[in-house]
Amino acid sequence: MSAVDIVPAPAMVPTVRRGYGEGARAVAPMALAIAAFGLSFGVLARSAGLSPWAAVAMSATTFAGSAQFAAISVLAAGGSAVVAVGAGALLNARYAVIGLSAAPALRGPAWLRFLLAQLVVDESWAVAQTSEGVPDRERLIGAAFVLYVSHVGSTAVGAFGLGLLTNPKALGLDAAFPALFLALLRPYLLHRRTLTVAVAGAVLALGLTPVAPPGVPILAAAGAVLIGVSRP
Amino acid sequence: MSAGWVVVIGLGLATVAIKAVGPVLLGGRQLPPQVLAPVRLLAPALLAALVVTQAFGSGRDLALDARAAGLAAAVAALLLRAPILVIIASAAVATALVRMFA
């Protein structure tokens, strides 16, 4: 959901109570923030030209806020659908990693593992951590259920409610995009390696904007990870 | 089909596949750290690129307009450790005010 891949060290996580209800309870405060996120996504998706149902469908199928915002911001800037999907998919690439670490908790036949894997988002994964280092399956499912309802429901409220707003620019809504991404970037600015990568990504994107089609500078900024990897 | 729906379906399929790949194919095995490190660094690189292109990009040009005031307000809110909603709202309000009076 948020781009913040919270990865608490297992040793620092206190013993947690297991069960669906415990997971739902633990994630409730985050679900409030997610609802605010979904509400703004619904509003901004409309101003980017999506229909209300398309906005809700995206929250229901992608279920990852930062990638959704990235994709619609490329569309809003006049980028192509292919570039928009690419930008969102790159932001979601971290879920390949998070999915691997959650894999031991997702037992069962392949079809069930496939379905359970969809429930792994940053917040449900974080809440499900136990002192043994393997996420608790029931906490994960309980938390993901609350997050999903909150994410999709709030998107619907934002998307269908926006019919009232005629000029999103007069309200400064286009400036909400960079501010939102800045807020998601915050935890990465606190560590030298991720800060270096962020600065390099920004420089690459700005430098390419005058010479590349809309959205492409964002994809190209992925090249900044090479700087972070090459440094000790 | 509109570009919006193409993105909804394309990103939905991509995300479902990305999330499923670990639990379905690799089971309990771990990828080598040489592969994990760059993937973890994708988020800061892309988010920073999104911040600057959304604040200063205007088609194929760079522009310093009312959105810059919004970004400045957002940075101030960030430094004051404001919650995410306050950060977003301050950017929108600052930009709207500049547009109203400029």
Side-chain angles (χ1 to χ4, degrees), chain B residues 44-87:
Chain B
L46 294 170
L47 289 170
L50 284 161
V51 171
V52 295
T53 52
Q54 296 297 308
F56 305 112
S58 175
R60 279 204 174 183
D61 286 316
L62 298 176
L64 201 62
D65 55 27
R67 291 170 300 167
L71 185 62
V75 169
L78 189 86
L79 292 175
L80 293 171
R81 297 170 182 273
I84 188 162
L85 268 187
V86 175
I87 295 173

Side-chain angles (χ1 to χ4, degrees), chain A residues 51-73:
Chain A
S51 73
W53 282 113
V56 173
M58 192 186 253
S59 281
T61 53
T62 296
F63 190 25
S66 57
Q68 294 175 221
F69 277 109
I72 62 160
S73 68

